[in-house]
């Protein structure tokens, strides 16, 4: 035993200490077939992979195919230097777990994502999910981009078997490789989004995703849920050209990040700045003279300086991210390298878009990488906050002639807004009431009933009750019907919101609907009014944008414009944000036809809904159709001095001589209409 232990090992000893090379395979018998192949594989496996970043891998291994690239050949990150830091943030050694890239069209973002895919297959294998807006687009991407990516790179060809071989693990939507798998799917497929756990997720063109995947929820949220088990090792890459303000997913993600901008130096003064469209200037009608003007020295920068500017550029964060592991990048077409899109082309396309809202929207999205603000936007809530008024200690200011209430029923509460209305639909918010409990709590309904008998004081000391209360039936309709039936339909109007603008009237009905209480079928249901909410939302936002007279104009007797909305100083900012929580956008259906549609920009919008319901109640009462005599009677009841109605037309008076076909026999005078709430 002592002899055997004293014999030196062939892989250790003084020869290694002295620096002499020793072949570990020298004593092996290599006289059998295939020995050299085994040794070659063994040596390759023992050699550690080079520690590359995604951009370094792309420069070394990526080749661009003529099938999907305008500049085929070896990939060079130096061609678009701004992509280097974005790609490197996707490398395993980088601490970022969530990378957002909001960009203009054709700046190389998708190729950066493809470089990441190649890097994962070659150097950091694991399960990867790539999500495109639709399954059809995922198939086209697989054929047009991923297949050439694999075929033109020797490092990837040997890891992904050809799709035509049997049991290759390489299909159109699935690419298997040693240590991992790449699955492609569409954002419209909930099954594809929850098919497997994933360490890496590439979400391309997220603003083109549908609102919900097969009615199962937001596609981005469903996809990201696949990374839960990978904790800090996950990487999520979100890329998109933005679309509409408030609806854009990529803008929302970028705003929540550290908002990095690419700062480049001025070739004249060296001032570091990020390029903004406002500083691209040209002579009137001559886009060929376009040049960028430095914000430091104001000197024009010619296009040929761009290459050097991009090489010396650097990303700088302009905000603080709520999540330290979430970073965001934004870039416009102004950074497009020479030979891709010039400043002159950008100026020419911008000029060509003038006069067309649809073309301007495309230009802002694809050239500037910014969201489009629809013309139907409500004013900013900060502007409304500045215009809040004090009602000088009265509940109903002078001019308010009758009250309506809009009721929004929620799961755990009922919210009520009481509005006073005057001539020409001028309105004042009088009260905002939140009743805790929800529709399953009888005490909640009792408190709502009490509001029907409550009074609010006018400026002259008189009191008013709610003339009509409109209550939404969208949540717990049977409970709403039962309560409304118990109160009677003279003062209460159950309503149902309908989408769309192309309706003959904004409110239709009432219709009798069946209601079931405790399983009992009622012979005659509640009286339900149908309301085109889009029409009243558009009207409300138009009224909110009306300019107010200045103090000098008021001193001269200038009145507020018809439809002016007055908001009290006691209302809080949350309510104001809810009032402007939706936006009118243009959407296209499956057949490509465009139509306007109201969509939410934030989760809560109860204030806007309640306003629409209160406005519908005013319509149901007849405020849009009352004659002058009715308005005068209302003013007499409220003790308000009669004001002349605002003129509705400036056409010249009709000639005294009757025209042909005009009846000359005087019509029988109609009996003046008296609304129910004014009757004794």
């Amino acid at each position: 035993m002592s002899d055997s232990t004293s014999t030196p090992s062939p892989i250790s000893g003084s020869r290694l200490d002295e620096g002499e090379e020793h072949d570990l395979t020298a004593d092996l018998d290599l006289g059998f077939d295939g020995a050299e192949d085994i040794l070659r594989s063994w040596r390759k496996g023992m050699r550690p992979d080079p520690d590359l970043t995604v951009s370094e891998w792309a420069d070394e291994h990526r080749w661009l195919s003529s099938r999907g690239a305008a500049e085929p050949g070896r990939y060079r990150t130096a061609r678009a230097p701004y992509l280097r830091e974005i790609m490197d943030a996707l490398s395993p050694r980088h601490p970022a777990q969530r990378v957002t890239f909001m960009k203009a069209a054709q700046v190389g973002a998708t190729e950066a994502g493809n470089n990441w895919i190649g890097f994962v297959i070659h150097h950091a294998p694991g399960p990867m999910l790539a999500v495109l807006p639709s399954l059809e687009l995922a198939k086209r991407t697989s054929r047009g981009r991923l297949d050439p990516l694999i075929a033109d790179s020797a490092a990837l060809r040997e890891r992904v078997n050809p799709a035509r071989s049997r049991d290759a693990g390489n299909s159109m939507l699935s690419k298997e490789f040693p240590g991992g798998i790449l699955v492609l799917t569409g954002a419209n497929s909930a099954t594809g989004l929850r098919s497997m756990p994933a360490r890496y997720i590439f979400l391309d063109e997220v603003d083109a995703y549908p609102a919900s995947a097969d009615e199962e929820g937001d596609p981005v949220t469903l996809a990201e849920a696949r990374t839960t088990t990978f904790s800090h090792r996950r990487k999520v890459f979100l890329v998109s050209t933005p679309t509409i303000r408030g609806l854009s997913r990529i803008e929302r993600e970028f705003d929540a990040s550290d908002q990095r901008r690419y700062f480049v130096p001025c070739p004249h003064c060296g001032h570091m700045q990020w390029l903004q469209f406002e500083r691209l200037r040209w002579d009137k009608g001559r886009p060929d003279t376009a040049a960028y003007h430095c914000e430091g020295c104001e000197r024009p920068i010619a296009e040929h300086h761009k290459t050097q500017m991009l090489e010396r550029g650097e990303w700088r964060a302009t905000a603080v991210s709520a999540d330290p592991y979430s970073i965001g990048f934004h870039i416009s077409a102004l950074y497009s390298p020479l030979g891709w899109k010039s400043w002159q082309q950008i100026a020419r396309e911008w000029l060509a878009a003038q006069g067309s809202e649809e073309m301007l929207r495309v230009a802002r999205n694809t050239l500037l990488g910014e969201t489009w603000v629809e013309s139907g936007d409500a004013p900013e809530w900060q502007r409304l906050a500045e215009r809040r008024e004090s009602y000088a200690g009265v509940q109903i200011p002078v001019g308010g002639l009758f009250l309506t209430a809009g009721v929004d029923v929620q799961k755990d509460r009922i919210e009520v807004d009481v509005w006073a209305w005057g001539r020409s639909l001028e309105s004042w918010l009088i009260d905002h009431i939140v009743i805790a409990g929800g529709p399953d709590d009888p005490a909640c309904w009792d408190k709502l009933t009490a509001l029907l008998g409550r009074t609010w004081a006018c400026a002259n000391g008189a009191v008013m009750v709610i003339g009509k209360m409109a209550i939404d039936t969208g949540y717990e309709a049977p409970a709403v019907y039962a309560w409304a039936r118990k109160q009677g339909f003279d003062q209460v109007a159950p309503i149902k919101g309908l989408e769309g603008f192309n309706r003959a009237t904004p409110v239709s009905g009432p219709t009798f609907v069946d209601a079931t209480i405790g399983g009992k079928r009622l012979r005659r249901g509640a009286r339900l009014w149908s309301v085109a909410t889009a029409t009243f939302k558009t009207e409300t936002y138009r009224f909110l944008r009306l300019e107010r007279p200045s103090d000098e104009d008021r001193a001269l007797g200038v009145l507020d414009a018809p439809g002016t909305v007055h908001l009290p100083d006691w209302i809080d900012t949350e309510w104001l944000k809810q009032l402007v929580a939706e936006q009118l956008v243009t959407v296209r259906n499956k057949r490509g036809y465009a139509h306007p549609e109201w969509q939410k920009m934030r989760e809560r919008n109860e204030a806007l809904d309640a306003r629409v319901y209160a406005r519908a109640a005013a319509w149901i009462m007849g405020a849009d159709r009352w004659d002058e005599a009715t308005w005068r009677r209302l003013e007499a009841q409220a003790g308000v001095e009669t004001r002349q109605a605002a003129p509705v037309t400036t056409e010249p008076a009709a000639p005294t001589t009757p025209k042909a076909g005009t009846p000359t026999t005087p019509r029988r005078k109609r009996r003046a209409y008296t609304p129910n709430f004014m009757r004794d």
Side-chain angles (χ1 to χ4, degrees), residues 130-168:
V131 183
L132 283 300
S134 66
L135 275 173
E136 181 60 30
L137 190 56
K139 294 176 182 178
R140 296 212 316 255
T141 299
S142 178
R143 291 192 299 265
R145 290 186 179 270
L146 291 185
D147 287 349
L149 166 71
I150 296 170
D152 295 335
S153 172
L156 302 183
R157 276 200 311 270
E158 64 182 17
R159 285 167 171 77
V160 181
N161 292 330
R164 60 181 177 271
S165 63
R166 180 176 297 180
D167 299 328

Side-chain angles (χ1 to χ4, degrees), residues 204 208 232 237 344 468:
D204 197 12
H232 64 279
F237 188 30
Q344 289 78 16
K468 184 74 74 173

Side-chain angles (χ1 to χ4, degrees), residues 433-447:
I433 304 157
V434 179
I435 304 174
D440 57 347
D441 184 359
C444 187
W445 293 110
D446 292 340
K447 294 177 182 178

